[in-house]
Amino acid sequence: MSADKDTRKSLAMVRTQTLERAQGNAVPIEFRTLSLHVTETHRSNKTGGFKYAPKDKKKVDEYASETDFFATADFHKLSTAEIGLRFNSDSTQGLARAEAARRLQTNGPNMLEARRPNYFKKIFWYIFGGFCSVLWVGVITFFLCWRPPLSNPPNPTNLALALLVIFVIFLQASFSAFQDFSTAKVMSSILDMIPAECYVFREGQLVKISASQLVAGDRVHLSLGNKVPADLRLIEASSDARFDRAVLTGESEAVDASVEVTDDNFLESKNIAFMGTHIIQGSCVGIVILKGSNTLMGRINKLTSGRKEKKTIIQQEISRFVQIIVCLTVFLVILILAVWLAWIRREYPKFMPTATLLVTLMGCVVAFIPEGMPVCVSLTLLMIARRMRANNILPKSLTTVETLGCVNVICSDKTGTLTENKMFVTTMAFLDQESTPEDAQRKMEMETTPKALPQSSESPQILALRQLQISTLLCNNSKFDPETIHLPIAERNVLGDATDSALLRFSAFVSDLSTISPCFERTNEIPFNSRNKWMMAVYQGSAEHPEVIKTLFGSDMTHAGKTLDEKDSQLVFVKGAPDVLLPYCTSYLSGTSNTPQQLTEDEITELSRIQQAWSRRGQRVLMLCKGRYNPYLAGTMAQSGSSSAALQEDLTRQGLQDLCIIGMLGIMDPPRPEITDTIAQCRRAGARFFMVTGDFGLTAAAIAKQIGLFSSNIEPDTYDDIADPSKKGRYEGSLEDSLGEFEPGRPRFHSGTSLVLTGPEITKLSPGEWDQVCAYEEIVFARTSPEQKLKIVTEFQQREGVVAVTGDGVNDAPALKAADVGVAIVTGSDVAIEAADLILLGGFDSIPISMRLGRLVFQNLQKVIGYLLPAGSWSEIWPVLINTFLGTPLPLSSFLMIIICCFTDSFPCTALVMEQQEFDLLSLPPRNAKTEHLITARIYLQSYVFIGSCMTFFSEMLFFLFIKENTGLGFQDLVFTFGNIDYSKLKPGITQEEFDTTWVYTGQCVTFVALVIMQWGNVLSIRNRRLSILQADPFRKERRNLSLFVGMIASLLMAVLVTEVKPIQEVMLTGSVPIKYWLLPIPCAFAILLLDETRKLIVRSFPNSIIAKLAW
């Protein structure tokens, strides 16, 4: 025993070290650390510090406390009776409702404590992160330059600038906080949709309640796919019950459930089901021992509360942009400082004293940094998130939105995703007779009495039909919803999966079995699971009517209350796909004689013919078999102390031995009405669309042709063509040559090629064969297991694929989690919803909409940045450079620079956020995430060198024109003067003081007004990358965006406010601009628009020209 523990501890340490090297595996690391501590506590019989404690000294006490708790926990060691006594709970009846209510009121709901964000840290980064860190330097500098010794007398303008920059900082912080709040609100709505209910026994009745209403001592029932709602001590478990503890351990291998203690360590014992884990097979019952924050998950939640969140791709791109701008700003500041120290300070000491230098340097900072960009980016993301919500799409994070534009491979589950998941039986057959449910119903109505028990005198055909009908009812875990039982069979709600629902409706449609079903009592079962791909149910006759089971299935069938002997048998039903069950079959039931017949090659051929014929019509084929199980032998094994696993193995061995085929059913699951168009849209967007299903290959291929996934009537390739491509001679030369030139980030494939692969064939593929598989355009993966679905995703990702996986079932969860974008249907299982990145609230046609919006958010962000940079950065830095290096008066004040960045530019920018797609975004190939960045050299070229330089020229021209017209001093009189201006050239009546104040300040407002109005031309041009404004104006319905003009008017009103209000003029040193200089920038704005229209015309007319290659 000690050696086993040492081995287990050693392996656990290795797993811990491996997990610690992986990013994002916080919970598994904490779980393993706690588990090691508990094991060491048991070995050393003491508590306290351990050598595996975290390096963070602050957490040692936390780990010690949690370790002590789990080391002393003994719930797993108590018997069922002892657990009931400890929690004062009846192990069969559960709690009384009144007692449960009292405990809920006393101890509170079963909820994890929400992680309280570090608000101090959040607020700190809101205020000091990004551009704000540099702006705070400006605040401090302006405050220093406000009062002596740097300004004597005090300069109120510098104080006002400091306060204005603080306002800008808090404006940015407010938008960042609002964005986080909106994201948290969306996440909260997603969590509210995730099923949070469970089944408990209250006063002997199984009722469904909210998981938050669970109390200690509750008796909880779990079945396939359920999430464990609290820490449970298992008191009942089916022989095949298994739990997925990957969320805790990080290991994909499922854990068998047990009702007995299997380990001294509470965290490792298999009779404990931990909150947050999932039951992936079988069913079980457990008593709530820990709930809410007292659970293992709740305690780990506390330990991991300080984990750093990973930046999204968009955040990384924006951070990259911020770093570039800040580095350029620092470079310019150092350059100006160096020139001042080396030249200006010595040659022109009065031109730029220390206070003026500091204000100039901060003017450089304010000028080059587009302060309004974070606000506008936040607005863009919030607007797209709102559009996605309006289209019934809920993204869990901004990363998902951005990645959607890059998706080039979509792997979709079939049942419930491509199809409606509303299956119904369309055909039925014995091996010697085909029929339909309607024919069977008519036959039963004609030859039997309604609700009468079966009689041996009935015709062989009726008795055979009864066997098939009863097998569909009994080998089934679904049932009709009592609330809809009065409705017609087709309209009743069914509690169960789609396949079982189809069989249940079939059995009820053929005839009423309400009097026959109680004559059978289930004694054992093995539920369907993705590994076995079959379900087994074991029955005996009831004590009241033991003759029914004997009449239909043989006189050796036992019944309840009978003392078993070695000759007694119980009835076994097995259902599954024909190719799965056929190896276990040795006979078949004749539909005409109701006698078992030897299964020969002829019958096997006929079975294959029926299966393929039905599959080609898109039907899923299920086979129902019967067998025998000797309970006497099982009882002997149990008395000898055999484990539950051994008993289950014996049940499987006996139950699958010498099966007799009762019959087959063809089940149709109609495709969703929108799916054909959805696949076409995804293909048009450059994404290949694959089907990944557990169905038979021919069935899946038939559905693929129905929905347009297979676009050709030519038979698809198979594994044989992959293993031996020369058989068809599809490609000339090597595969590498036929695929064309390699481009990083873009997968290569052959158009028009199709392939069908099955799960067993997937396991045989070599890396070279996977290269061939990934080169097909249309693929159906059939008979796949969860591991194979995961394999498919990873193989395509390794070959430049950006993979989206859609699914709704438990089996889809591993692939959903591994995909670049996991998409779950809101009606799917909670496991799938939690594993996914994106949740569809409506139809499957939301997929191409989400892809289009993902591309639109990227496009609009580029337009927003391209709009902000010319006036908010480039045209603002040049006045500072002209003032510093050419010695002229400053053409634009720092105050007006801030107004442009944060106010006048923001209004039209907000309207730009609302832009629709310029052209059909789904007609473009997916964005290459490796080469196509958010901010590129082409955008800098467009914004700085082209539009920005034009705006700089016009605005500076108007500044010097205004000065010349009103004072008589032209550009040639001001350049290189560095404060030594020849004031004798001033017009009569104008003093030196008036020139340095009134006229220069008003001239700065002229520059400001010019930039504001010229941005109108920029916003009208930037909204179209290629199209002319005549082709895509803001008035026609397709691209209508009248908000642009509202934004223009708002920016104009802001400019009027800044230049005309007397208090602002006095404090911020602005002046009233003559009407002439409100009008002159309008043709300049048209010139900006015309210049960019000319560029677009050249790009459209000469797509291979240098201008086209440099265009953004």
Side-chain angles (χ1 to χ4, degrees):
M1 185 68 178
S2 177
D4 291 341
K5 287 186 177 180
D6 289 337
T7 302
R8 184 172 61 251
K9 175 181 172 182
S10 177
L11 290 173
M13 288 174 60
V14 172
R15 286 196 297 267
T16 301
Q17 293 166 1
T18 303
L19 287 166
E20 285 174 343
R21 290 192 294 268
Q23 295 181 353
N25 287 336
V27 173
I29 291 173
E30 304 295 353
F31 173 82
R32 282 301 171 201
T33 304
L34 280 175
S35 183
L36 286 170
H37 287 186
V38 172
T39 300
E40 186 167 331
T41 299
H42 289 159
R43 291 170 56 83
S44 61
N45 293 319
K46 64 180 181 180
T47 61
F50 302 98
K51 62 181 180 181
Y52 304 117
K55 295 180 180 179
D56 186 355
K57 299 293 185 182
K58 295 181 180 179
K59 284 199 171 185
V60 172
D61 291 340
E62 296 178 11
Y63 274 95
S65 174
E66 303 301 343
T67 299
D68 291 346
F69 174 81
F70 288 116
T72 56
D74 62 349
F75 304 111
H76 57 308
K77 299 178 181 178
L78 301 178
S79 66
T80 300
E82 290 171 332
I83 282 287
L85 288 173
R86 176 170 294 190
F87 291 97
N88 194 21
S89 173
D90 191 308
S91 60
T92 57
Q93 297 294 309
L95 294 175
R97 288 183 171 85
E99 175 63 16
R102 187 191 67 78
R103 294 186 185 188
L104 180 64
Q105 185 176 6
T106 303
N107 302 317
N110 173 42
M111 298 174 65
L112 293 179
E113 287 183 7
R115 289 189 183 184
R116 294 184 179 179
N118 188 332
Y119 288 109
F120 175 80
K121 187 175 181 180
K122 276 183 172 290
I123 293 172
F124 177 86
W125 285 113
Y126 289 153
I127 297 176
F128 295 99
F131 290 137
C132 295
S133 57
V134 181
L135 293 179
W136 275 112
V137 178
V139 170
I140 295 171
T141 303
F142 286 133
F143 270 123
L144 291 175
C145 295
W146 162 40
R147 295 179 62 84
L150 295 180
S151 291
N152 195 4
N155 188 337
T157 301
N158 288 337
L159 173 62
L161 281 173
L163 296 176
L164 180 62
V165 175
I166 291 176
F167 173 77
V168 170
I169 291 172
F170 280 94
L171 180 67
Q172 289 189 13
S174 299
F175 269 87
S176 298
F178 179 71
Q179 180 178 324
D180 282 355
F181 167 77
S182 300
T183 301
K185 192 174 180 181
V186 170
M187 286 301 299
S188 177
S189 67
I190 292 173
L191 293 174
D192 289 342
M193 285 187 303
I194 295 176
E197 296 177 322
C198 58
Y199 286 92
V200 300
F201 289 90
R202 294 278 171 86
E203 298 178 352
Q205 294 183 341
L206 187 63
V207 296
K208 183 166 69 172
I209 66 170
S210 170
S212 62
Q213 303 300 305
L214 278 179
V215 297
D218 258 329
R219 187 169 181 256
V220 180
H221 181 272
L222 298 174
S223 56
L224 176 67
N226 290 158
K227 182 171 70 173
V228 181
D231 285 356
L232 309 178
R233 164 65 162 86
L234 301 182
I235 58 174
E236 296 178 18
S238 63
S239 56
D240 61 332
R242 307 180 84 201
F243 286 91
D244 177 7
R245 286 189 177 181
V247 67
L248 290 175
T249 64
E251 299 168 1
S252 59
E253 187 66 27
V255 176
D256 292 328
S258 172
V259 295
E260 305 295 336
V261 60
T262 61
D263 197 297
D264 288 341
N265 188 339
F266 173 83
L267 301 179
E268 300 288 351
S269 186
K270 296 178 182 179
N271 64 348
I272 301 295
F274 293 109
M275 181 184 194
T277 60
H278 298 89
I279 181 166
I280 60 171
Q281 191 172 316
S283 61
C284 58
V285 175
I287 298 293
V288 176
I289 54 176
L290 298 171
K291 67 181 188 66
S293 296
N294 291 324
T295 62
L296 172 62
M297 184 61 75
R299 293 168 186 271
I300 290 179
N301 184 56
K302 297 175 187 175
L303 295 175
T304 59
S305 58
R307 298 267 171 193
K308 186 178 179 181
E309 294 183 2
K310 184 181 178 182
K311 280 188 175 181
T312 66
I313 296 175
I314 289 180
Q315 289 171 332
Q316 292 174 12
E317 291 280 357
I318 293 174
S319 296
R320 174 173 165 267
F321 171 70
V322 170
Q323 290 168 5
I324 292 172
I325 293 295
V326 170
C327 288
L328 290 174
T329 303
V330 172
F331 169 76
L332 289 173
V333 167
I334 293 174
L335 178 64
I336 293 173
L337 181 61
V339 170
W340 181 81
L341 289 172
W343 176 44
I344 296 176
R345 182 173 62 90
R346 290 187 290 107
E347 298 293 333
Y348 307 101
K350 294 182 180 180
F351 173 68
M352 192 177 287
T354 302
T356 306
L357 168 70
L358 293 176
V359 172
T360 300
L361 293 177
M362 290 308 100
C364 176
V365 170
V366 169
F368 205 68
I369 291 178
E371 292 90 347
M373 193 204 76
V375 174
C376 295
V377 168
S378 296
L379 287 173
T380 304
L381 296 175
L382 291 172
M383 190 64 65
I384 294 296
R386 182 176 296 178
R387 286 191 191 180
M388 297 190 83
R389 181 65 183 264
N391 284 281
N392 292 322
I393 308 162
L394 271 183
K396 286 187 177 179
S397 67
L398 296 179
T399 307
T400 306
V401 178
E402 196 277 338
T403 308
L404 282 167
C406 309
V407 168
N408 50 44
V409 172
I410 299 175
C411 296
S412 177
D413 180 40
K414 181 181 75 69
T415 304
T417 307
L418 301 181
T419 58
E420 294 184 356
N421 203 16
K422 295 178 181 177
M423 295 184 177
F424 55 91
V425 176
T426 57
T427 49
M428 53 175 286
F430 299 97
L431 279 189
D432 54 359
Q433 180 184 346
E434 272 192 72
S435 184
T436 65
E438 291 75 16
D439 292 338
Q441 183 194 45
R442 284 192 295 269
K443 193 173 185 65
M444 293 292 284
E445 286 179 350
M446 293 172 58
E447 301 187 26
T448 64
T449 302
K451 297 188 178 182
L453 296 178
Q455 303 296 323
S456 58
S457 59
E458 293 176 341
S459 69
Q461 293 87 351
I462 290 295
L463 291 174
L465 182 57
R466 282 193 185 276
Q467 288 197 53
L468 180 59
Q469 180 193 14
I470 289 172
S471 66
T472 61
L473 174 67
L474 300 182
C475 194
N476 197 321
N477 280 331
S478 65
K479 60 181 179 179
F480 288 118
D481 187 344
E483 295 181 1
T484 60
I485 197 68
H486 62 283
L487 298 176
I489 294 171
E491 299 178 16
R492 296 176 188 172
N493 291 333
V494 179
L495 306 177
D497 66 38
T499 302
D500 278 359
S501 299
L503 299 185
L504 181 65
R505 285 196 172 97
F506 166 78
S507 67
F509 176 78
V510 172
S511 68
D512 189 345
L513 293 178
S514 59
T515 57
I516 299 178
S517 58
C519 299
F520 295 83
E521 294 182 4
R522 182 178 293 192
T523 60
N524 217 326
E525 72 168 303
I526 299 179
F528 177 89
N529 64 72
S530 57
R531 295 176 182 273
N532 295 334
K533 298 185 184 296
W534 48 258
M535 175 189 174
M536 179 183 294
V538 184
Y539 284 87
Q540 64 182 3
S542 66
E544 294 79 11
H545 296 285
E547 73 282 357
V548 174
I549 194 171
K550 297 179 183 292
T551 298
L552 291 174
F553 297 99
S555 58
D556 61 331
M557 292 294 162
T558 188
H559 59 272
K562 183 179 184 298
T563 304
L564 298 176
D565 60 43
E566 56 189 17
K567 295 181 181 180
D568 289 324
S569 296
Q570 290 181 347
L571 176 62
V572 174
F573 289 120
V574 185
K575 72 177 179 189
D579 52 320
V580 173
L581 295 182
L582 188 59
Y584 305 105
C585 299
T586 58
S587 61
Y588 70 95
L589 178 69
S590 170
T592 56
S593 65
N594 190 40
T595 56
Q597 304 291 323
Q598 186 69 27
L599 190 64
T600 65
E601 287 297 326
D602 291 339
E603 281 74 32
I604 293 175
T605 303
E606 175 63 11
L607 186 150
S608 179
R609 183 198 66 78
I610 294 174
Q611 182 182 13
Q612 293 189 28
W614 289 2
S615 296
R616 286 194 178 95
R617 298 202 294 265
Q619 298 178 31
R620 182 180 179 186
V621 183
L622 274 183
M623 190 162 74
L624 290 120
C625 305
K626 63 179 180 178
R628 279 169 164 70
Y629 173 65
N630 189 326
Y632 181 81
L633 177 60
T636 304
M637 292 178 62
Q639 291 175 4
S640 63
S642 296
S643 65
S644 59
L647 291 173
Q648 181 185 358
E649 184 179 345
D650 179 67
L651 172 60
T652 303
R653 181 186 60 79
Q654 287 195 57
L656 294 179
Q657 187 175 2
D658 297 331
L659 288 178
C660 175
I661 300 171
I662 301 174
M664 294 189 294
L665 298 174
I667 302 175
M668 173 66 78
D669 184 9
R672 291 180 181 267
E674 74 275 8
I675 197 60
T676 301
D677 184 61
T678 299
I679 292 175
Q681 290 288 332
C682 292
R683 284 209 176 123
R684 195 167 62 85
R688 289 180 287 169
F689 201 103
F690 304 150
M691 180 193 296
V692 185
T693 179
D695 263 354
F696 185 61
L698 285 175
T699 304
I703 295 292
K705 288 182 179 179
Q706 287 183 29
I707 64 178
L709 195 151
F710 281 167
S711 56
S712 171
N713 289 326
I714 301 174
E715 285 297 313
D717 287 357
T718 63
Y719 174 75
D720 291 338
D721 301 297
I722 295 293
D724 186 11
S726 62
K727 290 177 62 178
K728 287 197 174 183
R730 183 179 293 278
Y731 311 117
E732 295 182 4
S734 68
L735 177 69
E736 191 70 22
D737 294 338
S738 65
L739 287 173
E741 185 178 351
F742 172 75
E743 179 186 353
R746 291 225 185 271
R748 299 178 295 168
F749 59 90
H750 300 283
S751 298
T753 54
S754 55
L755 173 69
V756 175
L757 281 180
T758 63
E761 292 166 349
I762 290 173
T763 60
K764 296 188 289 186
L765 292 173
S766 65
E769 289 170 340
W770 269 111
D771 291 336
Q772 296 182 54
V773 170
C774 293
Y776 279 84
E777 183 181 20
E778 305 166 351
I779 308 179
V780 167
F781 296 99
R783 313 302 288 164
T784 54
S785 65
E787 293 85 354
Q788 289 159 352
K789 290 182 181 180
L790 183 59
K791 176 74 171 175
I792 292 166
V793 172
T794 57
E795 290 293 341
F796 275 94
Q797 287 174 328
Q798 291 170 11
R799 291 164 178 81
E800 309 295 341
V802 180
V803 183
V805 172
T806 69
D808 64 347
V810 177
N811 294 339
D812 301 317
L816 286 169
K817 192 168 289 186
D820 297 284
V821 181
V823 183
I825 314 297
V826 71
T827 55
S829 68
D830 57 343
V831 184
I833 290 175
E834 288 194 358
D837 304 298
L838 195 76
I839 299 173
L840 298 185
L841 305 180
F844 196 70
D845 53 350
S846 298
I847 291 288
I849 295 174
S850 63
M851 294 174 67
R852 178 177 61 81
L853 290 175
R855 297 180 183 188
L856 182 62
V857 70
F858 185 83
Q859 181 188 83
N860 280 359
L861 278 176
Q862 287 188 320
K863 290 180 179 180
V864 164
I865 293 171
Y867 166 76
L868 292 173
L869 291 182
S873 180
W874 189 255
S875 297
E876 290 183 355
I877 193 62
W878 275 103
V880 177
L881 297 178
I882 289 172
N883 169 249
T884 303
F885 292 98
L886 299 185
T888 69
L890 182 66
L892 188 66
S893 69
S894 297
F895 167 70
L896 295 174
M897 294 176 187
I898 294 174
I899 296 298
I900 290 174
C901 286
C902 296
F903 297 99
T904 60
D905 269 2
S906 296
F907 298 126
C909 181
T910 303
L912 197 61
V913 166
M914 302 177 187
E915 278 294 322
Q916 299 294 332
Q917 58 186 17
E918 177 179 348
F919 35 77
D920 186 2
L921 291 176
L922 294 183
S923 65
L924 301 177
R927 183 173 70 84
N928 189 334
K930 291 187 177 180
T931 59
E932 300 174 25
H933 295 290
L934 181 64
I935 311 297
T936 64
R938 293 180 179 182
I939 293 180
Y940 284 122
L941 186 66
Q942 167 78 10
S943 300
Y944 284 167
V945 179
F946 183 37
I947 300 297
S949 295
C950 292
M951 294 176 68
T952 299
F953 172 76
F954 287 131
S955 60
E956 301 303 315
M957 178 191 72
L958 290 173
F959 171 78
F960 288 108
L961 178 63
F962 172 81
I963 296 294
K964 173 69 175 177
E965 182 179 291
N966 289 278
T967 67
L969 295 179
F971 176 74
Q972 67 278 8
D973 301 315
L974 299 174
V975 69
F976 297 125
T977 58
F978 294 97
N980 299 321
I981 300 173
D982 185 0
Y983 292 106
S984 63
K985 295 182 179 181
L986 288 170
K987 286 184 177 182
I990 299 178
T991 64
Q992 174 182 347
E993 183 180 357
E994 288 177 339
F995 175 85
D996 290 337
T997 55
T998 304
W999 296 109
V1000 170
Y1001 295 158
T1002 305
Q1004 291 174 344
C1005 291
V1006 168
T1007 306
F1008 165 71
V1009 168
L1011 289 174
V1012 170
I1013 294 177
M1014 282 190 291
Q1015 276 289 70
W1016 298 354
N1018 183 26
V1019 76
L1020 289 173
S1021 66
I1022 199 72
R1023 63 187 294 270
N1024 296 316
R1025 294 182 63 176
R1026 296 288 184 271
L1027 296 178
S1028 166
I1029 191 172
L1030 300 177
Q1031 297 171 303
D1033 59 71
F1035 302 104
R1036 280 179 284 192
K1037 183 177 180 181
E1038 295 79 10
R1039 295 290 308 285
R1040 182 178 297 159
N1041 189 359
L1042 300 180
S1043 302
L1044 287 170
F1045 301 101
V1046 177
M1048 292 178 188
I1049 294 172
S1051 66
L1052 179 64
L1053 293 176
M1054 188 69 191
V1056 171
L1057 177 71
V1058 167
T1059 57
E1060 298 298 329
V1061 175
K1062 287 296 181 183
I1064 296 178
Q1065 289 179 343
E1066 294 172 1
V1067 176
M1068 305 312 302
L1069 307 180
T1070 62
S1072 298
V1073 176
I1075 188 65
K1076 173 183 178 180
Y1077 288 92
W1078 285 97
L1079 299 176
L1080 282 177
I1082 295 177
C1084 296
F1086 277 109
I1088 296 290
L1089 178 59
L1090 183 61
L1091 284 170
D1092 201 49
E1093 286 292 306
T1094 305
R1095 176 193 67 84
K1096 295 172 188 174
L1097 179 62
I1098 295 173
V1099 170
R1100 293 195 304 269
S1101 304
F1102 306 99
N1104 295 321
S1105 63
I1106 295 178
I1107 292 179
K1109 292 178 180 178
L1110 294 177
W1112 72 289

